[in-house]
Amino acid sequence: MSKEMLTLEAFEEASEEVKKVTLETKLIFSDFYSKLTENKVYFKPENMQLTGAYKLRGAYYKISTLTKAEREKGLITASAGNHAQGVAYAAKAYGCKAVIVMPTTTPLIKVNRTKSYGAEVVLYGDVYDDACAKAQELAKEHGYTFIHPFDDLAVATGQGSIAMEIFKELPLVDYILVPIGGGGLATGVSTLAKLLNPNIKVVGVEPEGAACMKASIKEGKVLTLPGVNTIADGTAVKTPGSNIFPYVSKNLDDIITIADEELVLAFLDMVENHKMVVENSGLLSVAALKHLKVKGKKVVSILSGGNMDVITMSSIVQKGLIMRDRIFTVAVQLPDRPGTLSKVADVVAKENGNVIKLEHNQFVAINRQSAVELRITMEAFGPDHKKQILNKLEEEGYKPKIVRTMI
């Protein structure tokens, strides 16, 4: 590649180039998180981007730097989601062939969406690493041009266009929070941010169960984690990019790690307070707001994507409501006599508990006259209300026991 990447000139070029295919994702001020953290919090909503994620930026800019001959050979990449759709969309815009290798475990909706942009999809392997190896094998076999999801300086330069847009809208930004998977987004954003203002703080955010960049920076070299375990599938990376590692090491001020449970609660907060669906990886920079030890600063959290399937969404909402004590299940022992059920329901109703589900088990004890078990799943306003209902059931002699279960 003749042009040097990750320079101010390259970032300016990339920022103009990506405008051809991207939506303008203007900053959204968060009144909720600003009050919560005592900072001025803004979101960069790349979840609202075409293809539902920022990945289109890096893919399109990378393709723009290729020669005509390289594009005509066809493009290939490996991805389970956002990068796949970014490359497919960008390749379609350039009128060139795209082959995407996706793990066999990829949800059908992501496969179909990638195909809808005109790409050929090859399903191979159980995890990203298998798919990536297959993609590189096919690239050699057919002469395709391989586009790496994150370990590519041109791709990272394209992702940096996000920082350019942030600075144009909010020149005096103090902190930028950026999710980290392999490190491409963090590289582009942190490098350009430091070029534009060396005093700005750029903080990377990783899932606790896949903190490969934090481990690598601590050791001063690229490390491979033995395994990853996180609901933030878009950032579930074992090995950060070696080409981009020097830039991340130099330009990131800190890395915060986030537990899966925090992502669940952040999802609820975003849906209820901002009416936005953000995927788990994009929620990393939202959950990290509570970890910042600063006040009175202008903070931008990059919401990297919003591609979440409905089944995942459903289970996260349920888990979040349970974690917040807004839904809970309680078991009570009752004598097996007519009218007993209505008495319990009456106690719950008087305390404004909303019953969602009842399970009546007559076979919990040999002597049905002595006890049957009633499990009540109900909705409450939160921990205090839940405690109020439990206390009332206790007063009435029902000896309630909390049951740890999903709905």
Side-chain angles (χ1 to χ4, degrees):
M1 191 182 297
S2 56
K3 187 178 181 64
E4 189 183 349
M5 290 295 133
L6 296 168
T7 62
L8 196 52
E9 182 190 7
F11 281 122
E12 286 176 335
E13 180 186 275
S15 295
E16 288 304 310
E17 196 67 33
V18 301
K19 284 179 183 176
K20 297 173 185 175
V21 291
T22 56
L23 293 174
E24 192 176 9
T25 55
K26 284 194 168 292
L27 295 177
I28 295 170
F29 178 72
S30 173
D31 189 57
F32 174 78
Y33 275 103
S34 294
K35 286 176 179 172
L36 191 70
T37 63
E38 296 179 50
N39 290 300
K40 285 189 176 178
V41 174
Y42 300 81
F43 294 131
K44 178 66 171 163
E46 288 293 292
N47 57 317
M48 307 301 287
Q49 190 55 265
L50 287 169
T51 74
Y54 75 95
K55 288 282 193 178
L56 176 58
R57 296 171 180 270
Y60 189 80
Y61 182 61
K62 170 66 177 179
I63 295 169
S64 79
T65 66
L66 299 174
T67 64
K68 188 180 178 185
E70 286 172 322
R71 286 198 287 264
E72 285 176 349
K73 286 177 183 175
L75 312 173
I76 191 165
T77 193
S79 168
N82 294 339
H83 180 66
Q85 292 171 62
V87 170
Y89 191 97
K92 185 181 180 183
Y94 265 99
C96 49
K97 177 181 179 176
V99 179
I100 317 290
V101 185
M102 307 179 89
T104 55
T105 51
T106 305
L108 187 61
I109 189 170
K110 291 187 177 181
V111 174
N112 288 341
R113 199 172 286 150
T114 304
K115 286 180 178 176
S116 76
Y117 298 130
E120 177 190 329
V121 173
V122 176
L123 295 174
Y124 185 86
D126 293 328
V127 294
Y128 164 75
D129 300 81
D130 299 338
C132 190
K134 183 66 174 176
Q136 288 169 327
E137 182 187 310
L138 291 172
K140 287 178 185 173
E141 188 181 333
H142 299 282
Y144 297 140
T145 301
F146 182 75
I147 299 181
H148 199 283
F150 52 83
D151 197 22
D152 182 294
L153 299 188
V155 169
T157 302
Q159 319 300 25
S161 59
I162 289 176
M164 189 72 83
E165 292 172 14
I166 290 171
F167 271 87
K168 283 181 179 176
E169 270 199 89
L170 194 68
L172 299 179
V173 56
D174 298 301
Y175 278 78
I176 297 178
L177 300 179
V178 55
I180 298 179
L185 176 61
T187 297
V189 168
S190 65
T191 303
L192 178 55
K194 294 293 185 178
L195 285 171
L196 295 173
N197 178 6
N199 296 320
I200 194 169
K201 301 293 183 190
V202 184
V203 178
V205 196
E206 286 187 296
E208 263 182 17
C212 63
M213 189 66 80
K214 184 159 190 168
S216 296
I217 288 177
K218 186 179 177 183
E219 290 299 314
K221 62 181 180 182
V222 173
L223 296 179
T224 298
L225 298 176
V228 293
N229 183 17
T230 175
I231 60 171
D233 57 308
T235 42
V237 177
K238 290 200 287 187
T239 313
S242 54
N243 293 322
I244 58 176
F245 182 69
Y247 296 92
V248 179
S249 303
K250 178 186 174 187
N251 296 313
L252 273 191
D253 293 281
D254 193 12
I255 293 181
I256 293 170
T257 58
I258 300 294
D260 282 356
E261 288 74 17
E262 293 180 78
L263 299 178
V264 171
L265 297 177
F267 182 85
L268 275 190
D269 286 339
M270 290 302 291
V271 169
E272 292 191 319
N273 296 287
H274 288 284
K275 311 300 179 272
M276 280 202 292
V277 171
V278 183
E279 64 187 81
N280 290 320
S281 293
L283 291 166
L284 287 165
S285 58
V286 177
L289 288 164
K290 295 176 183 178
H291 294 259
L292 282 184
K293 304 288 191 286
V294 295
K295 306 287 181 196
K297 301 294 184 183
K298 294 182 179 70
V299 183
V300 174
S301 289
I302 297 172
L303 312 179
S304 54
N307 290 321
M308 182 186 282
D309 67 277
V310 178
I311 292 173
T312 302
M313 212 180 295
S314 172
S315 67
I316 283 177
V317 168
Q318 284 190 26
K319 187 170 174 59
L321 291 172
I322 290 166
M323 286 170 67
R324 287 237 161 112
D325 286 332
R326 285 167 57 186
I327 287 179
F328 66 98
T329 299
V330 62
V332 294
Q333 303 291 312
L334 307 173
D336 190 14
R337 289 197 298 272
T340 313
L341 179 59
S342 64
K343 287 179 183 176
V344 178
D346 192 49
V347 172
V348 172
K350 282 179 179 174
E351 298 303 317
N352 292 316
N354 182 34
V355 176
I356 296 171
K357 187 167 72 171
L358 288 172
E359 291 177 85
H360 193 243
N361 183 1
Q362 291 182 309
F363 305 107
V364 72
I366 297 172
N367 183 355
R368 281 171 46 188
Q369 294 304 314
S370 66
V372 296
E373 183 184 75
L374 178 67
R375 287 192 175 193
I376 314 164
T377 299
M378 67 187 99
E379 187 179 12
F381 302 126
D384 292 342
H385 189 210
K386 173 185 173 182
K387 190 176 178 183
Q388 178 187 323
I389 295 168
L390 291 174
N391 286 344
K392 194 64 180 175
L393 287 168
E394 190 75 52
E395 280 176 31
E396 297 293 330
Y398 292 113
K399 298 180 181 176
K401 289 183 180 176
I402 290 293
V403 179
R404 303 290 175 192
T405 179
M406 290 293 277
I407 300 167

